[in-house]
Amino acid sequence: MKARILFIDDELPMREMFQRLFQASEYEILLAGNGMEGLDIFSKEKVHLVITDFSMPGMTGMDVLREIKARDRNIPVILITAFATIETAVEAIKVGAYDYITKPFDPDAIEITIKNALSHKQLVDENIFLKQKLKDVETRSGIIGESPKLKEVFHLIEKVAPTDATVLIQGDSGTGKELVARRLHELSTRKDNTFLSINCGALPLTLLESELFGYEKGSFTGATSSKEGLFKAADGGTLFLDEIGDMPQVLQVKLLRVLQDKEILPIGGRKSFTVNVRILSATNKNLKEEIEKGRFREDLYYRINIFTIDIPPLRERTEDIPLLLNHFIKRYNKEFGKNVDRISPGLMRFFLEYDWPGNIRELENYVERAILMAEGKQLELSSIPTDVQKTPRTPSSGEQGDILPFKEAKDNFERNYIVSILKRYNGVISKAARASRIPRPNFYDKLKKYGIVQNKKSNGPGL
């Protein structure tokens, strides 16, 4: 879609001249003979830029400026006049005018002003879009991302959440398995009831058993009173068993009985209790291999694995890294009283190319560290430990040494080319797209693909 420019002037020769000036351009020109007519067109049409004469009978250019800014403060407005004064220029800029030029204007000069104004609007729109995306993803229980692989996770969550099916969440450490479990609970019919979680690999056998099933008074030394277990406490709600692959086999048998009979027997108890609990489990282990090695019960595996959700590691969804960075920068700016708003190109390159064995948890750790060390508004590569910077990326399947697969090498070249040409044109996307002969919509697609986010203040690619 062509950018639409609304030109308002009470003099017909000025409107005709402006129309002729841009009739063969990349813009679509809308004309109005007075302020009221211009505002009527603005209310009915999609307009990207308004240029208005300052001195008009009835509604002046300043009146038009104020009304446009009241309706949409992100629309750039350029004022033109034959009688410029410092006072009127200052007033116009204070009200929100993008620029203030005098008649007769030079055609080349006004074309440059128009291009700058539209580029400015694109940057503003991109910033708004990114902030809205961040706001949208932050409503998903803190699950941040818009990559195709993560969208598939969201799709599976929405599909199974309303049911009472047991779900096994699989993924490496630090990928956010508990966040997925919480989202499943929030979208279920049990959302108004309790959500409880426990790490099955963090407690010894006796303590884990008592936490899950509870115990009766006097059932063992030190049991001076009865205790309600998590199964009972989560009755009507959801119980999340994290790292279930580390659960001792003795408890695997008891858990299987709960899933089969919907009843629990506290330690030292003589009477079973019926419970209505939805079980969600997670593991970073390959449970089929654990079954083959005799460490996990096959019958329990099929009970907890009615539905599986696999969470991709961060290295497989690097396009989500800019959103994650924005999220963590916002969090730790607030926590540490900092005002970081950009990332150096070197550090951004590290974030996008590092292998992330610790996944999102590791990324958050480095952002927290970088913000603690930041002395200004920009995060620097020096905040990352030197030994980590030198860590080679894990070769993908079939990769030998430093020889990259063709697609990965091609993507690396393309990303470096886009960053380079943006730097050459000071981050102005329209100029970079024109110089590279890449259609602007395709250019934007490549920015999103490679996580290259424009920041006006940084004068180039970054965050």
Side-chain angles (χ1 to χ4, degrees):
M1 178 182 177
K2 287 186 174 182
R4 284 184 170 180
I5 301 174
L6 172 59
F7 184 81
I8 308 171
D9 198 300
D10 60 314
E11 298 179 9
L12 179 59
M14 284 294 296
R15 298 198 300 274
E16 291 177 342
M17 184 200 72
F18 193 84
Q19 179 75 66
R20 286 195 305 273
L21 187 61
F22 292 102
Q23 63 183 359
S25 71
E26 57 187 299
Y27 311 124
E28 181 179 343
I29 306 301
L30 306 175
L31 300 174
N34 57 63
M36 290 301 296
E37 183 184 353
L39 291 176
D40 184 56
I41 293 174
F42 184 82
S43 64
K44 294 177 180 178
E45 304 286 347
K46 175 71 173 177
V47 174
H48 302 91
L49 170 65
V50 176
I51 302 175
T52 179
D53 188 25
F54 186 88
S55 300
M56 295 185 293
M59 178 174 278
T60 68
M62 284 295 293
D63 295 331
V64 172
L65 171 63
R66 290 190 178 94
E67 184 61 31
I68 293 291
K69 289 300 176 179
R71 297 186 186 186
D72 188 343
R73 62 187 181 88
N74 296 318
I75 296 293
V77 179
I78 298 172
L79 286 171
I80 55 174
T81 181
F83 308 101
T85 67
I86 294 176
E87 289 77 14
T88 54
V90 169
E91 182 184 2
I93 298 301
K94 282 185 177 179
V95 174
Y98 176 79
D99 207 344
Y100 189 98
I101 57 179
T102 58
K103 295 179 182 178
F105 50 74
D106 177 58
D108 291 335
I110 195 168
E111 185 174 3
I112 291 172
T113 302
I114 287 171
K115 286 184 177 180
N116 289 340
L118 291 172
S119 294
H120 171 77
K121 186 179 187 306
Q122 285 177 357
L123 288 172
V124 170
D125 290 346
E126 289 165 10
N127 192 37
I128 292 171
F129 174 80
L130 184 60
K131 286 182 178 178
Q132 185 58 48
K133 279 288 185 185
L134 190 57
K135 182 179 179 182
D136 291 343
V137 298
E138 283 182 335
T139 63
R140 300 172 177 149
S141 303
I143 307 173
I144 308 295
E146 286 291 302
S147 63
K149 287 192 175 184
L150 201 59
K151 284 182 177 179
E152 177 61 22
V153 172
F154 294 143
H155 171 71
L156 295 175
I157 290 172
E158 291 168 1
K159 195 175 187 68
V160 73
T163 73
D164 263 349
T166 56
V167 179
L168 177 63
I169 305 165
Q170 298 181 137
D172 296 344
S173 294
T175 50
K177 296 187 288 295
E178 183 166 349
L179 295 179
V180 170
R182 288 184 181 277
R183 187 61 177 163
L184 285 166
H185 174 73
E186 289 173 0
L187 294 179
S188 75
T189 57
R190 300 169 178 265
K191 62 183 180 181
D192 295 325
N193 296 323
T194 304
F195 174 91
L196 296 175
S197 66
I198 188 169
N199 188 321
C200 299
L203 300 174
L205 170 62
T206 53
L207 186 54
L208 179 61
E209 183 179 17
S210 64
E211 286 293 315
L212 287 172
F213 297 94
Y215 53 80
E216 296 295 336
K217 180 180 179 180
S219 57
F220 55 85
T221 303
T224 56
S225 60
S226 298
K227 178 183 177 179
E228 185 180 72
L230 293 181
F231 278 109
K232 184 65 175 177
D235 194 19
T238 304
L239 180 59
F240 174 53
L241 304 176
D242 197 7
E243 302 304 346
I244 195 170
D246 295 324
M247 178 178 281
Q249 286 201 347
V250 174
L251 292 188
Q252 291 179 30
V253 175
K254 295 192 70 171
L255 175 59
L256 183 62
R257 289 174 182 165
V258 175
L259 291 169
Q260 290 174 337
D261 304 331
K262 310 296 182 185
E263 291 185 346
I264 62 164
L265 179 65
I267 298 172
R270 297 182 179 180
K271 181 181 178 183
S272 297
F273 295 94
T274 300
V275 290
N276 175 21
V277 179
R278 184 184 190 180
I279 303 296
L280 305 177
S281 307
T283 183
N284 62 5
K285 292 185 174 182
N286 186 323
L287 293 186
K288 289 185 177 180
E289 290 183 0
E290 295 296 297
I291 291 169
E292 291 176 1
K293 294 175 182 178
R295 292 197 288 252
F296 199 85
R297 294 183 62 93
E298 186 174 17
D299 47 4
L300 177 59
Y301 173 76
Y302 290 113
R303 279 286 182 176
I304 64 172
N305 192 29
I306 301 299
F307 196 94
T308 304
I309 296 178
D310 291 303
I311 308 178
L314 186 56
R315 64 181 175 273
E316 293 181 7
R317 55 183 188 98
T318 53
E319 57 264 62
D320 289 332
I321 287 177
L323 281 173
L324 288 161
L325 290 172
N326 272 291
H327 174 74
F328 293 135
I329 287 173
K330 180 180 176 182
R331 173 188 293 180
Y332 290 110
N333 268 340
K334 183 176 181 180
E335 182 171 333
F336 301 137
K338 296 293 186 77
N339 192 29
V340 170
D341 65 2
R342 56 187 178 270
I343 293 176
S344 71
L347 180 56
M348 178 60 81
R349 191 177 304 112
F350 166 79
F351 281 138
L352 293 173
E353 295 178 356
Y354 182 56
D355 206 40
W356 298 114
N359 292 290
I360 298 170
R361 190 178 296 128
E362 185 180 12
L363 174 66
E364 180 178 3
N365 176 274
Y366 289 148
V367 173
E368 181 180 6
R369 173 191 173 95
I371 291 180
L372 272 171
M373 295 176 64
E375 296 181 356
K377 292 188 175 184
Q378 179 167 290
L379 299 184
E380 302 291 347
L381 181 60
S382 57
S383 66
I384 304 298
T386 306
D387 58 331
V388 176
Q389 293 182 40
K390 294 179 180 178
T391 302
R393 186 177 178 88
T394 303
S396 56
S397 179
E399 186 177 341
Q400 295 181 1
D402 295 329
I403 301 175
L404 297 176
F406 175 75
K407 184 180 183 304
E408 188 173 343
K410 177 177 173 291
D411 286 347
N412 285 347
F413 170 81
E414 190 171 64
R415 184 184 187 280
N416 290 335
Y417 175 80
I418 295 293
V419 170
S420 174
I421 202 164
L422 277 170
K423 285 181 179 178
R424 175 175 296 183
Y425 290 98
N426 296 320
V428 179
I429 295 174
S430 58
K431 291 183 179 180
R434 190 180 303 114
S436 64
R437 298 183 183 179
I438 300 173
R440 193 179 297 179
N442 293 357
F443 200 91
Y444 279 110
D445 288 341
K446 292 181 186 299
L447 293 180
K448 293 175 184 176
K449 176 181 178 181
Y450 298 116
I452 304 168
V453 184
Q454 289 300 106
N455 186 305
K456 182 182 176 186
K457 294 180 180 179
S458 66
N459 199 32
L463 176 64

